[in-house]
Amino acid sequence: MTTSCKNYSRPFTVCIEGNIGSGKTTFLNNFKQFNNTVVLQEPVELWRDVDGMNLLDLMYKDPGRYACLFQSYVQLTMLQLHTMKTPLPYKIMERSVYSARCFIENMKRRNVLKQVEATVLDKWYDWCITHAVIETDLIVYLRTTPDIVYRRMRARARKEENLVSLEYLEEVHQIHEEWLYHKTLFSLPAPVIILDADQSMEEMFVQFEKCKAKIFESCG
Ligand code: DGT
């Protein structure tokens, strides 16, 4: 069995999860100041440039054609982050191969994916979690209200997200809630810390400090 932290053979790994616009990147950036932690941001830039094609944009514009392809690429790029060898005792990641499941679940509920596409994605996922080393020690759930993240998303105006509606954010929220708050949807790979991420940047910084202490303590 592998152990993490002191005398570690693998890093203590934390995944930061939450709805679109919940503040994951800002939360993660706070960890960049520590020389014991590797911070792995979500590979959204890779999704925007697949040999010159913006797959994120294509997924939003034509989900019937591109949703499955997009999820397949998300799964690959997340897996690359999970399995990346890092030299420090802590590894903090934005999202995970697990949260990609939330989006796939939503696509199933909306009938965006064909049954056979969902089956192939599920088979890939099952194989990955059985055969790849994607151990996770802790999940931090930045819990938000859909109205609030909708306003933040509109304010940051990422061009691919023009088509993202409040209704879509409500659906993604609902699935995160079922997974990380009610704990009824998928099995949990690690314990969950839930933070109220509707708050201002200053208030979130206070929460970050407490959370950081818990993370670094849990490793002794
Ligand atoms: P933050 O820092 O909390 O504001 O995080 P964001 O909104 O920059 O990052 P994230 O992961 O919530 O979303 C980036 C974009 O990528 C957003 O348009 C949602 C999309 N996205 C992320 N993961 C998936 C996925 O697995 N499937 C689909 N369909 N979209 C995804």
Side-chain angles (χ1 to χ4, degrees):
M1 202 177 90
T2 56
T3 53
S4 54
C5 310
K6 274 195 179 151
N7 304 320
Y8 63 99
S9 61
R10 67 171 182 84
F12 186 88
T13 303
V14 184
C15 298
I16 312 297
E17 305 285 4
N19 205 346
I20 299 167
S22 55
K24 297 179 291 298
T25 305
T26 312
F27 196 81
L28 218 71
N29 282 341
N30 287 316
F31 282 94
K32 288 187 175 167
Q33 60 186 300
F34 305 116
N35 60 11
N36 63 354
T37 304
V38 172
V39 172
L40 296 180
Q41 232 121 27
E42 183 179 54
V44 66
E45 289 313 317
L46 293 180
W47 309 340
R48 290 170 124 175
D49 183 7
V50 187
D51 278 349
M53 299 290 282
N54 187 334
L55 195 50
L56 179 67
D57 198 43
L58 290 169
M59 181 271 300
Y60 279 129
K61 285 194 173 134
D62 188 356
R65 169 74 184 81
Y66 289 104
C68 180
L69 187 64
F70 181 74
Q71 290 310 140
S72 158
Y73 195 50
V74 169
Q75 213 153 259
L76 170 66
T77 54
M78 292 311 310
L79 199 59
Q80 286 167 336
L81 293 187
H82 280 290
T83 56
M84 184 184 284
K85 295 264 180 281
T86 53
L88 299 176
Y90 295 91
K91 175 169 163 178
I92 313 278
M93 294 179 53
E94 181 169 5
R95 290 203 182 278
S96 60
V97 77
Y98 311 113
S99 53
R101 310 278 301 153
C102 291
F103 289 90
I104 292 176
E105 176 64 22
N106 194 40
M107 287 167 175
K108 288 180 186 171
R109 291 182 188 184
R110 290 178 145 223
N111 287 320
V112 169
L113 289 177
K114 296 179 188 66
Q115 182 57 50
V116 67
E117 292 175 324
T119 304
V120 171
L121 289 172
D122 286 347
K123 283 184 183 292
W124 259 114
Y125 175 80
D126 290 343
W127 191 91
C128 289
I129 56 158
T130 317
H131 293 87
V133 179
I134 51 173
E135 286 136 324
T136 304
D137 298 288
L138 187 68
I139 293 175
V140 176
Y141 174 31
L142 301 185
R143 189 168 186 238
T144 49
T145 307
D147 285 334
I148 290 185
V149 289
Y150 182 70
R151 264 183 269 140
R152 288 183 194 161
M153 188 193 68
R154 302 305 292 181
R156 83 175 168 203
R158 192 182 267 155
K159 80 174 168 48
E160 294 87 350
E161 292 169 352
N162 267 342
L163 296 172
V164 176
S165 61
L166 175 58
E167 186 196 8
Y168 182 76
L169 295 184
E170 282 166 347
E171 291 166 1
V172 174
H173 170 73
Q174 176 59 30
I175 293 171
H176 277 78
E177 287 285 280
E178 290 174 30
W179 178 38
L180 297 172
Y181 187 78
H182 302 295
K183 303 183 174 152
T184 50
L185 185 57
F186 310 125
S187 62
L188 283 167
V192 185
I193 293 179
I194 300 176
L195 301 182
D196 174 3
D198 278 346
Q199 303 183 2
S200 67
M201 294 264 269
E202 293 73 31
E203 287 161 328
M204 281 310 294
F205 188 72
V206 176
Q207 297 211 52
F208 159 75
E209 285 292 327
K210 288 186 192 151
C211 187
K212 177 199 78 182
K214 273 193 198 155
I215 291 172
F216 289 162
E217 271 163 25
S218 52
C219 226

